[in-house]
Amino acid sequence: MASSLTKDSVSPGTPGSGYEQTFFGHPRGLATLFMTEMWERFSYYGMRALLPLYLVAPGGLHLSASTATAIYSVYLSLVYLLALPGGWFADRVLGPRKTVAVAGLVIMLGHLTLALPSSGTFFAGLGLVAIGSGLLKANISTMVGHLYEGPDDPRRDGGFTVFYIGINLGAFAAPLAIGTIGEKVNWHLGFALAALGMALGLAQFLMGRRHLAARSDVVPTPMSAEEKASTLRKGLLWLAVAAVFYAVVGFSGHYTLNWIMAPLAIIGLVVPVWVIARIKRDKSLDRVEQSRMSAYIWFFVAAAVFWMIYDQGGSTLSIFAEKSAENSVFGWTFPVSWYQSVNPVMIMALAPVFAWAWLALNRAGKEPSTIVKFSSGLVLVGASFFLFLAPLSIAEGGHKAAAMWLVAIYFVQTVGELALSPVGLSVTTKMAPAKYASQMMGVWFLAVTAGDATTALLSIAGVDLNGMGIVALEATLAVVAGAAIFMYRNKVKSLMGNVN
């Protein structure tokens, strides 16, 4: 992408010659972070588009659809769960910049491990990518914020918008390139291309690090030598316990994939509940903060339901498309992984429309409240699965469903995402207790963890997520959850206090 580098007069507080380079009017460091995130998302979404297809393919691991969905869902839940320790690691050990550099290296090594033609190394690669993504996700957005002079810098919101475009550009291009190579040429070559993408992102991050803010190098609350030693001892102890446990299970002949997936899925449910409960029970929070946390629980549970359905767009829908859809338009056949490009291109097209619409409605005094937007997002994601019943019915009749059915489902889910996700991010920052202001964004990500962990547990239990009954049940759950939030909006509003 061609960068718009100009010579502008120096920003307030910047020492030097009177000139600085800018990126679309923003600090030059934004170009570094934009490209890093674009290439990281390229590698992440490319691999993610291939993952469920490779797991079920005869030329891949040739697993059942339920096992593939469980693996995919556990992987996604881990990515978001590990964002919490990723933020802690930067705050206490390395600082954001060094942590992101380490994350890029770990992700690249993970994709290279996936590229090896071995089922054993494949799962090790997934683990490395999840760890690296957790480290990166928690810190690169923080570094974008460091580029600006406090929360009142007028360029701040625009900078995050440009950064968000980078995310979606990477997500859009990845299935088209990595998906095509993986499906049509060689699965492992596709994973290797994902590694190349991360390598490019890491290389330009290291070359452009001089443009980043100085405080991105700072470790905010460094650990003492005693704390480091204690943390290391505890980590090694738990690692030893796990190693002994799985050695016993393995040598006794009882080991299956579920011995790994089930505990990870349960952790994905337990940790979000524990974190929310710990904050809610904190006696140091005042009455207003306690009330806001009670309201936030409504949003959190509803968001978990939303992401449980939404993230099946990469697993349940993808596996259905591979087996039961006519993946062609006007006689032109395309790889199944290309469906994963539909959401990011729609996000880029529709996000400005939504931003304009909310602003226009606000000026007219008719903008829907946070609660109404949130409930609308839930109803829409439920409606997408009611729509899914049509191609499922066509497939049960022995026919291939048209590709446009799936495109329509992704479209409805995207509209729901735009109604719910930005609002969820905003309400999280508004309702966060002062004591937990920096941690609450990680708490919001835990809603994704909880949703994906639920999907994983259903798959591990043998539930056919492509069955009409379970799809109808999930759709109904989302619509009922959205309706419940709307019906109890006055109660939730009273708990929120003066937060709009």
Side-chain angles (χ1 to χ4, degrees):
M1 180 178 183
S3 62
S4 174
L5 292 175
T6 59
K7 291 286 187 178
D8 295 334
S9 53
V10 81
S11 63
T14 303
S17 61
Y19 291 92
E20 66 165 344
Q21 286 187 317
T22 67
F23 179 68
F24 293 110
H26 293 274
R28 179 64 180 84
L30 183 61
T32 297
L33 298 176
F34 174 97
M35 296 298 291
T36 302
E37 183 70 347
M38 186 190 77
W39 283 115
E40 188 273 333
R41 291 291 88 181
F42 175 85
S43 69
Y44 173 79
Y45 280 101
M47 185 277 284
R48 206 176 91 162
L50 282 185
L51 179 57
L53 302 174
Y54 173 75
L55 292 173
V56 300
L61 296 188
H62 205 191
L63 302 174
S64 67
S66 60
T67 301
T69 300
I71 293 170
Y72 178 89
S73 301
V74 165
Y75 166 72
L76 288 192
S77 71
L78 278 179
V79 167
Y80 288 93
L81 179 64
L82 291 170
L84 275 182
W88 174 88
F89 188 79
D91 286 344
R92 304 300 311 274
V93 182
L94 281 186
R97 187 184 67 78
K98 289 179 181 177
T99 300
V100 167
V102 170
L105 180 61
V106 172
I107 292 170
M108 183 183 70
L109 291 175
H111 287 305
L112 286 173
T113 306
L114 289 174
L116 299 175
S118 165
S119 60
T121 56
F122 181 83
F123 292 105
L126 274 186
L128 287 172
V129 175
I131 291 168
S133 297
L135 287 170
L136 188 139
K137 180 178 287 293
N139 295 294
I140 195 162
S141 295
T142 299
M143 294 170 68
V144 174
H146 287 169
L147 296 171
Y148 299 95
E149 298 173 13
D152 295 327
D153 190 319
R155 302 172 298 170
R156 188 182 183 91
D157 287 351
F160 274 97
T161 300
V162 173
F163 181 70
Y164 192 62
I165 291 171
I167 293 173
N168 283 285
L169 280 175
F172 168 69
L176 304 181
I178 295 173
T180 302
I181 295 297
E183 284 191 67
K184 300 299 183 184
V185 181
N186 180 275
W187 295 108
H188 297 286
L189 191 58
F191 294 127
L193 184 58
L196 176 61
M198 190 65 253
L200 291 172
L202 179 60
Q204 68 82 39
F205 177 79
L206 294 174
M207 289 188 293
R209 65 187 183 276
R210 67 186 183 278
H211 299 296
L212 302 176
R215 63 182 176 138
S216 291
D217 280 321
V218 175
V219 181
T221 53
M223 300 175 73
S224 65
E226 293 79 9
E227 286 177 309
K228 287 181 180 179
S230 174
T231 302
L232 182 61
R233 280 196 304 270
K234 290 176 182 177
L236 290 174
L237 176 62
W238 282 108
L239 186 62
V241 169
V244 170
F245 174 79
Y246 282 105
V248 171
V249 172
F251 286 121
S252 66
H254 292 93
Y255 177 78
T256 66
L257 271 177
N258 285 348
W259 280 101
I260 293 287
M261 292 192 297
L264 290 175
I266 292 169
I267 289 170
L269 275 181
V270 170
V271 170
V273 173
W274 176 78
V275 170
I276 290 282
R278 182 173 63 86
I279 296 174
K280 185 70 179 70
R281 292 165 57 191
D282 190 335
K283 302 299 183 184
S284 69
L285 303 186
D286 61 32
R287 184 182 61 82
V288 172
E289 289 176 324
Q290 285 282 359
S291 179
R292 287 178 179 172
M293 280 305 300
S294 295
Y296 188 74
I297 291 171
W298 283 74
F299 292 109
F300 185 89
V301 173
V305 173
F306 178 90
W307 295 115
M308 178 185 72
I309 295 175
Y310 179 91
D311 275 346
Q312 288 183 58
S315 55
T316 304
L317 285 176
S318 189
I319 292 171
F320 171 83
E322 193 272 332
K323 291 183 177 180
S324 305
E326 189 67 50
N327 303 308
S328 62
V329 177
F330 302 120
W332 174 66
T333 302
F334 55 86
V336 175
S337 53
W338 283 25
Y339 285 112
Q340 301 309 308
S341 289
V342 173
N343 171 259
V345 77
M346 286 182 175
I347 287 284
M348 289 188 285
L350 295 176
V353 176
F354 269 70
W356 171 83
W358 296 144
L359 187 59
L361 288 169
N362 180 268
R363 288 171 177 165
K366 297 179 180 180
E367 183 181 5
S369 67
T370 293
I371 299 170
V372 172
K373 291 177 184 177
F374 215 88
S375 61
S376 299
L378 273 169
V379 170
L380 283 166
V381 82
S384 76
F385 260 35
F386 278 126
L387 186 60
F388 187 24
L389 293 175
L392 283 173
S393 178
I394 292 170
E396 282 196 353
H399 304 287
K400 294 276 190 178
M404 293 312 295
W405 280 113
L406 295 172
V407 173
I409 294 168
Y410 286 119
F411 172 77
V412 175
Q413 289 187 347
T414 300
V415 175
E417 179 188 3
L418 288 169
L420 181 140
S421 186
V423 173
L425 291 168
S426 177
V427 81
T428 297
T429 59
K430 291 177 182 176
M431 295 171 66
K435 181 178 178 179
Y436 298 99
S438 62
Q439 299 178 39
M440 283 298 287
M441 199 55 69
V443 173
W444 169 252
F445 287 143
L446 289 180
V448 186
T449 295
D452 286 321
T454 303
T455 301
L457 287 172
L458 288 171
S459 298
I460 291 168
V463 175
D464 179 12
L465 294 175
N466 267 318
M468 293 188 68
I470 189 65
V471 169
L473 180 62
E474 290 182 82
T476 302
L477 175 64
V479 171
V480 168
I485 289 182
F486 182 79
M487 289 172 61
Y488 287 92
R489 62 190 181 280
N490 291 331
K491 175 181 175 62
V492 177
K493 177 62 181 172
S494 66
L495 292 170
M496 292 171 69
N498 61 356
V499 174
N500 295 316

